[in-house]
Amino acid sequence: MSAAGFPLVLAPIAAVALLSVAMRPRAVGVTAPRRLAVIRAALATGAFAVLTVEVLGALGLLTVPAFAVAWLLFLAGSATAAGWRRRLDAAGRDAATAGWRAALTDFWRTATRGFWRTATRGERLLAGTVGGLLLVELLIALLATPNNFDSQTYHLPKVERWVAQGDLSFWATAIHRQVTIPPGAEYLLLHLRLFTGGDALYNLVQWAAGIGCLLAVSRVTAQLHGGRRAQLLTVFVLATTPMVTLQATSTQTDLVCAAWVACAATLALDGLRRRAAVADLLALGAATGLTALTKTSGLLAVGPLLVLWGLAQLRLAYADRPAAGRRIPLAGLARTVGASALILLVAATVVGPFLARVNAEFGHPLGPPRLRESVPMERHDPPSVLVNALRIGHTALDTPLAPLREVTADAILGVAGLLGVDPQDRAITFGQETFPEPSWFPDEDRVAFPLAGALVLIAAVAAVRRPGRLSPDAAGALRGYALAVTIAVLLHTVMIKWQPWGNRLVLYALAVSVPLAGLWLDALFRRATDGAARPASSAGRGTGGVPGRGRRPVAATLAAAVLAACALAGVLAVSYGFPRRLVGEGSVFTATEWESRFLRRPQWAEEYHWAADAVRTAEARRIGLSQRNDDWEYPWWLLLRDADGRPPELLALQSVLDDRPAADPASVDAILCVGSRALCADLLPAGWQLEFRSYVGYALPAVP
């Protein structure tokens, strides 16, 4: 990373810090105002990063100088806004706390005297475990090279393609996901690519998304009147979930999506108790747009949350009407409709340019038929949906207990047979995959979350049936929120086909559901404490005396055991998780850069080097690529880059885009082949010689 690029890398961090000052809510009684300010700042910075790519891409200016100017202007605006807010506070009632020094002192007191000095031993243990995991994940994220399978195929090649061509226009490719899958997370990576010249900091995007996710779900718990312990339990359960710990060091995109959905959740809950201001609407719109631009499946959760928000806004409009009236006032209805329109307008501003390009290219904003039919469910009859839901649940809750897995899988296959549904039907199953498939092992793409998942399911039932037991002061809000996230999960099972790596696709729903688990666990511990504090004569009153009293400590003990298991699962995931681990074969401390990149397929590493060396020796500049939809393209961008960082000219020899024809093999200087020798051989011009090993090959014109 160049010395000039380092300050630019810090620009997003500085912008979030400055905007957190500028966007701190002024209204009295706002829950967790500091966290809300950070969430607003993160959304503003994320939206700016996305729109910068869109605007500069439209101008053909995806270059370092253009991005540097944009960020410097944004920083200047953020500093101006923060200074204006500081002066405004100084002129108001809180002048004593308006200065920078006073703000920092107040923050430090809150973090130490306000928490650490007053926390119980259990709360300190929860916080310490989460903090330790985050630090270890940061270490892995910094040491490990990007080696996610999908990233090698399409996440990272699209970033390199944008840098090479200087704009966002589509290109001929055999890998349709490079142009059809929403690129929100890759837009964020593009900034790092331009500022650093490489991918050394790519993993930090998902790590930062994990921090944002924990921040947002803790605030959701607070909004549902969960105390400090409940908030810590929420953060603990999510932070120790193996899928989260593994994705936090990856260039996958699911945690980024989960973070934006969690931001939408906490902003939507604000609308349950107060009328939305313009700042709230802009933030909700940004969260919705960023979710859609990262993974459209996240909208399955954002949609129900926005409906919950809209109904609450209408209820508040009704409550504002004089007691004599019974109808919702037209002004209140118009205001809610207008607010909803503004949210959608902001979201469309963020995601609209990409959807417009996709629509212009494929005639549909959701892409070509092969994309619309591969992941979404093609059957929606109740039996098919039920079988799909059972399979998704089985894979998400998988454990190392093989007999249990086999029994439950056989039961699901039996139910499918009784309902007349083929459990391997392509209309409800992705690709050529076959159910069941083990998913308990700590792999970033597949790992199950039985502990967090079971806690969420139990808590959701409790929150819907008896919300007052979990949150006596916010029972209505809790039930509404529980119903919204339950609907999100149901929509996922209705809309998304089962697949072996489907656990990562449902991560967004797990994240916004975890606050329910935190509240339920806290209620267990609270009732156990209350029961222990009451006399024996009254503790069992109405429940049979002493026996009723004893059930509460037992339940709390079981809950503590589950939390210990969660901690163990999180520690094991960061220690032995694949494909980035602390210890064992392929450790980030022992594996070389290229060994780490090819941990998924170590047998390919030498072949890629062999072919790239041959092409460089031939001094080829125009290089044709023969590859299939799931082959690795990213290594070529790294191996064939010039010493000064100039990207190679890579041209696809197969194209799945009708209006983007593949390059003529006779027009290139060399051909690189991946996956299929026969596919490559059919492309060779007369007189070319092909060399091919097990997976990789190359072809050059015959030497006279």
Side-chain angles (χ1 to χ4, degrees):
M1 181 170 61
S2 65
F6 183 74
L8 294 174
V9 170
L10 297 178
I13 302 174
V16 170
L18 290 169
L19 290 176
S20 295
V21 175
M23 296 183 172
R24 182 160 47 87
R26 293 182 59 85
V28 178
V30 174
T31 303
R34 291 186 182 86
R35 276 173 276 179
L36 176 58
V38 174
I39 288 168
R40 287 175 173 177
L43 289 169
T45 304
F48 167 79
V50 163
L51 293 177
T52 296
V53 173
E54 289 289 0
V55 172
L56 295 181
L59 298 175
L61 291 175
L62 298 183
T63 61
V64 176
F67 273 62
V69 170
W71 275 105
L72 291 175
L73 291 175
F74 187 65
L75 275 177
S78 300
T80 301
W84 175 81
R85 178 58 187 273
R86 178 188 172 192
R87 290 191 297 271
L88 189 66
D89 288 345
R93 296 179 180 178
D94 50 353
T97 60
W100 296 105
R101 183 178 300 177
L104 291 174
T105 301
D106 179 63
F107 175 80
W108 178 251
R109 287 175 178 173
T110 301
T112 56
R113 195 176 300 170
F115 171 73
W116 203 254
R117 297 182 183 180
T118 60
T120 64
R121 183 178 301 176
E123 291 171 345
R124 292 180 181 180
L125 184 60
L126 292 172
T129 302
V130 172
L133 281 174
L134 292 176
L135 290 176
V136 173
E137 291 164 9
L138 175 60
L139 176 65
I140 296 175
L142 291 171
L143 293 178
T145 55
N147 58 4
N148 172 261
F149 193 104
D150 285 348
S151 296
Q152 306 275 21
T153 300
Y154 68 97
H155 288 309
L156 303 188
K158 70 171 68 173
V159 176
E160 294 299 321
R161 184 70 65 175
W162 293 332
V163 173
Q165 63 188 27
D167 59 38
L168 300 175
S169 59
F170 290 161
W171 55 90
T173 178
I175 305 172
H176 77 88
R177 292 174 293 174
Q178 291 184 358
V179 295
T180 58
I181 298 293
E186 291 90 338
Y187 279 1
L188 305 181
L189 295 179
L190 177 60
H191 293 263
L192 293 177
R193 169 65 177 86
L194 290 173
F195 292 157
T196 66
D199 59 14
L201 300 182
Y202 277 7
N203 294 331
L204 293 183
V205 170
Q206 283 250 115
W207 182 81
I211 298 289
C213 207
L214 297 178
L215 195 72
V217 297
S218 71
R219 185 169 185 267
V220 168
T221 308
Q223 290 170 291
L224 297 173
H225 286 208
R228 183 169 64 187
R229 183 174 60 188
Q231 296 171 48
L232 285 171
L233 287 167
T234 297
V235 170
F236 179 86
V237 171
L238 186 60
T240 56
T241 300
M243 180 62 76
V244 174
T245 61
L246 293 173
Q247 288 240 358
T249 63
S250 171
T251 47
Q252 244 327 340
T253 62
D254 305 282
L255 201 50
V256 176
C257 175
W260 298 137
V261 173
C263 289
T266 189
L267 293 168
L269 278 179
D270 279 335
L272 268 61
R273 290 189 174 87
R274 58 182 175 86
R275 301 294 294 272
V278 174
D280 302 312
L281 302 177
L282 295 176
L284 263 175
T288 303
L290 289 169
T291 299
L293 190 62
T294 304
K295 269 186 179 295
T296 50
S297 56
L299 294 178
L300 299 177
V302 174
L305 290 167
L306 288 180
V307 171
L308 177 65
W309 173 88
L311 292 175
Q313 291 293 292
L314 288 175
R315 180 183 61 81
L316 291 173
Y318 180 87
D320 290 342
R321 187 171 175 80
R326 300 303 300 172
R327 296 180 181 178
I328 296 176
L330 292 180
L333 178 61
R335 177 176 175 176
T336 302
V337 172
S340 303
L342 179 58
I343 292 173
L344 296 178
L345 177 62
V346 174
T349 302
V350 174
V351 71
F354 169 72
L355 294 181
R357 287 194 301 275
V358 172
N359 187 67
E361 189 74 29
F362 302 105
H364 195 288
L366 297 182
R370 64 182 302 172
L371 176 64
R372 302 197 306 271
E373 297 170 0
S374 60
V375 177
M377 287 274 285
E378 297 176 79
R379 290 179 56 180
H380 300 93
D381 55 287
S384 296
V385 171
L386 176 60
V387 171
N388 194 51
L390 291 174
R391 294 181 305 165
I392 290 174
H394 177 273
T395 304
L397 302 177
D398 191 19
T399 70
L401 302 175
L404 177 61
R405 180 188 314 119
E406 294 169 1
V407 168
T408 54
D410 289 342
I412 293 172
L413 295 176
V415 170
L418 291 174
L419 296 176
V421 176
D422 179 4
Q424 318 304 345
D425 184 356
R426 296 305 108 191
I428 62 173
T429 304
F430 180 83
Q432 301 301 315
E433 305 302 325
T434 302
F435 175 85
E437 186 75 23
S439 62
W440 62 267
F441 47 91
D443 183 292
E444 67 173 351
D445 287 334
R446 297 185 178 224
V447 63
F449 33 82
L451 296 173
L455 288 173
V456 164
L457 290 176
I458 295 171
V461 173
V464 172
R465 291 187 65 229
R466 296 182 177 179
R469 289 193 173 187
L470 274 62
S471 180
D473 298 327
L478 175 57
R479 175 174 283 163
Y481 184 79
L483 287 173
V485 298
T486 300
I487 291 172
V489 174
L490 294 176
L491 287 175
H492 187 95
T493 64
V494 171
M495 301 298 296
I496 307 296
K497 294 177 180 177
W498 174 88
Q499 49 193 282
W501 44 89
N503 290 342
R504 65 179 180 82
L505 301 184
V506 78
L507 182 59
Y508 71 92
L510 175 72
V512 295
S513 302
V514 163
L516 304 178
L519 290 166
W520 182 74
L521 288 168
D522 181 62
L524 277 183
F525 291 124
R526 183 175 64 248
R527 288 199 296 270
T529 303
D530 293 344
R534 283 185 294 171
S537 60
S538 61
R541 192 171 297 162
T543 60
V546 176
R549 179 187 177 192
R551 285 196 296 268
R552 293 174 177 175
V554 170
T557 302
L558 290 175
V562 171
L563 292 177
C566 288
L568 179 62
V571 171
L572 290 177
V574 297
S575 300
Y576 298 99
F578 194 76
R580 293 166 303 281
R581 55 177 49 164
L582 284 177
V583 297
E585 185 178 359
S587 165
V588 293
F589 296 115
T590 59
T592 65
E593 176 186 348
W594 281 96
E595 287 174 343
S596 177
R597 289 187 187 279
F598 284 88
L599 278 177
R600 285 284 187 192
R601 299 290 187 272
Q603 68 273 20
W604 294 350
E606 192 276 331
E607 295 189 17
Y608 269 92
H609 274 284
W610 162 74
D613 288 343
V615 169
R616 281 200 305 268
T617 301
E619 298 182 351
R621 286 306 307 169
R622 286 175 56 86
I623 303 166
L625 293 181
S626 173
Q627 56 192 4
R628 300 163 301 178
N629 186 57
D630 211 31
D631 290 325
W632 286 14
E633 180 181 312
Y634 185 58
W636 300 129
W637 291 98
L638 300 177
L639 290 167
L640 299 174
R641 187 181 297 169
D642 287 347
D644 61 358
R646 188 161 62 101
E649 187 177 0
L650 300 181
L651 305 169
L653 299 181
Q654 299 96 2
S655 179
V656 295
L657 278 69
D658 294 337
D659 296 332
R660 310 278 175 173
D664 183 355
S667 69
V668 300
D669 304 323
I671 295 176
L672 289 169
C673 313
V674 182
S676 172
R677 179 190 180 100
L679 187 66
C680 186
D682 290 341
L683 296 170
L684 296 187
W688 282 51
Q689 295 180 345
L690 173 64
E691 298 288 338
F692 199 92
R693 294 188 176 178
S694 64
Y695 180 72
V696 177
Y698 68 90
L700 295 169
V703 178

